[in-house]
Amino acid sequence: MFTKGVLSCLKYLEAIPWTEEEEDRLRNLFAVFKFDETTTQDILARLHLLSSEDSKQNLARQLVWSITACADANARNELKSLVKGLLCKSSVYEKDQHDPNKEDLYDVCQSCLGSLVNLMEEASGIISPGKVVKKETSKPLIGRISRQVDNINWLLEILFDQQIGEEFVDMWAHQGELLSMHGSVSPMVRYELSRVSAILFIAMGTRKLHCRSEARAALLQAWFGPMLLDFGWLQRCKKGLDMKALEEAMGQTLLTLPLKQQDVLFTEWFRYFSKHGTECPNLCKAFQIWWRRSFPRGSETHAIESR
């Protein structure tokens, strides 16, 4: 009778949905007690994924690829939030066994960058629209560019969370094709590129992204000028971007460079800000810090006295 009672309980447990608390209790139960295998195999199949670690990693990689190719905007945003929550380090779910590896994530990044280059070529008239994948031609070009930028920024959030975003700074700093096309396309298109730069500046300025001085310098030398040009459009089309945080982070990132390099970039900003005002980021606070560090009060007084 006891055995029949246990079997009846197991059949009941297998047939009903579980809460997370009940699932944890079952895991603990089966870790301590052993039951007849034929009786418990269905329950164990619900508790444990009986597959290799490679297949788990492949699943995560497929999820990331699928999201970047998702055509429906609402579904894409919902799935991005879902998968990011599953992969982030603060998630309650078990890590390390099913996360996509660094190479997988950068493969997706490279694919999105390649698509972005093709779309910008279309926008600049370098290639004919007929070369675009047929299923995409029914959608506005601006929308397709924005979608790829959204994909890249979402991937960056995952890279930052896993602390493996340094290589993307090098990748973005050396996007020569995109930089060459930036000046030849409409401002309402090209500002999308500065949305990627903005995410990188904010991550560096808020200490979420750590990279070599050479990488920071290359990024600023490449994309600081375009950011000055696009800042007005970014203000009008924020798309969730915190402009005050961007201004603060840009200043903080500039201040991480050697003073000689800061000199060139702050001078460029000063000229642009004096002409365009609020259409340009306000880096006055960072400029004051740079000035104080470059011309200490004691040395300034000594220079005046010597003259």
Side-chain angles (χ1 to χ4, degrees):
M1 289 181 62
F2 178 81
T3 302
K4 288 181 179 179
V6 171
L7 178 60
S8 178
C9 290
L10 291 172
K11 286 183 177 179
Y12 171 77
L13 290 170
E14 191 281 325
I16 63 170
W18 308 324
T19 66
E20 289 195 31
E21 181 184 357
E22 290 168 342
E23 182 179 341
D24 288 337
R25 291 171 63 186
L26 282 171
R27 287 184 188 278
N28 294 332
L29 175 69
F30 282 94
V32 176
F33 297 102
K34 301 296 181 183
F35 300 96
D36 180 66
E37 183 177 349
T38 57
T39 306
T40 59
Q41 62 182 357
D42 291 336
I43 296 179
L44 292 174
R46 287 175 60 179
L47 287 172
H48 305 289
L49 181 63
L50 303 177
S51 60
S52 67
E53 300 304 328
D54 286 343
S55 67
K56 294 177 185 178
Q57 195 173 81
N58 288 337
L59 175 60
R61 180 169 60 244
Q62 290 167 12
L63 291 176
V64 173
W65 275 103
S66 297
I67 288 172
T68 59
C70 183
D72 185 273
N74 291 330
R76 186 170 61 250
N77 292 334
E78 191 74 23
L79 291 173
K80 281 180 177 179
S81 177
L82 170 65
V83 173
K84 181 189 171 187
L86 295 176
L87 298 181
C88 72
K89 288 186 177 295
S90 59
S91 171
V92 298
Y93 299 99
E94 187 177 2
K95 303 295 185 309
D96 300 329
Q97 295 186 351
H98 51 71
D99 286 355
N101 61 34
K102 180 179 178 180
E103 290 73 21
D104 292 336
L105 290 171
Y106 273 99
D107 283 346
V108 186
C109 287
Q110 196 64 62
S111 175
C112 291
L113 285 172
S115 298
L116 187 57
V117 169
N118 292 336
L119 291 169
M120 292 298 291
E121 286 177 343
E122 183 182 346
S124 63
I126 296 177
I127 62 172
S128 63
K131 289 187 178 181
V132 181
V133 180
K134 189 174 181 180
K135 67 179 180 180
E136 294 282 4
T137 55
S138 61
K139 298 181 180 180
L141 178 61
I142 294 176
R144 284 180 277 148
I145 291 174
S146 180
R147 170 182 151 190
Q148 289 302 332
V149 170
D150 286 340
N151 286 338
I152 292 169
N153 286 350
W154 174 68
L155 289 166
L156 283 175
E157 291 177 9
I158 297 175
L159 293 176
F160 296 158
D161 181 76
Q162 299 189 10
Q163 299 179 350
I164 53 173
E166 302 86 355
E167 288 184 20
F168 190 88
V169 176
D170 288 320
M171 289 172 60
W172 189 244
H174 294 92
Q175 290 298 312
E177 291 179 282
L178 292 176
L179 282 164
S180 64
M181 289 184 282
H182 182 273
S184 62
V185 297
S186 166
M188 66 186 299
V189 173
R190 74 186 186 200
Y191 91 94
E192 292 282 356
L193 300 179
S194 287
R195 287 177 56 210
V196 178
S197 302
I199 296 298
L200 293 173
F201 289 147
I202 290 174
M204 288 190 289
T206 55
R207 306 180 182 182
K208 291 181 181 177
L209 175 61
H210 315 134
C211 52
R212 306 178 334 273
S213 175
E214 296 83 0
R216 297 195 304 273
L219 178 70
L220 285 161
Q221 287 167 5
W223 291 103
F224 184 69
M227 175 61 75
L228 296 182
L229 292 172
D230 296 334
F231 193 81
W233 273 93
L234 287 172
Q235 289 185 109
R236 289 185 284 275
C237 307
K238 296 183 179 68
K239 296 187 177 180
L241 194 62
D242 186 335
M243 300 308 294
K244 288 296 183 183
L246 174 58
E247 288 178 311
E248 179 70 20
M250 285 180 68
Q252 290 297 319
T253 304
L254 280 174
L255 291 170
T256 66
L257 298 179
L259 286 173
K260 188 174 182 180
Q261 294 176 347
Q262 292 181 41
D263 186 352
V264 175
L265 294 172
F266 273 119
T267 302
E268 179 183 359
W269 165 80
F270 193 92
R271 286 196 299 266
Y272 199 86
F273 188 69
S274 65
K275 293 179 181 178
H276 301 279
T278 56
E279 289 288 294
C280 181
N282 188 339
L283 306 182
C284 288
K285 181 179 177 182
F287 185 87
Q288 287 178 319
I289 296 173
W290 163 74
W291 182 273
R292 176 174 53 78
R293 291 175 180 173
S294 298
F295 309 103
R297 196 163 190 175
S299 62
E300 192 176 76
T301 303
H302 176 74
I304 293 173
E305 289 176 350
S306 63
R307 286 199 298 271

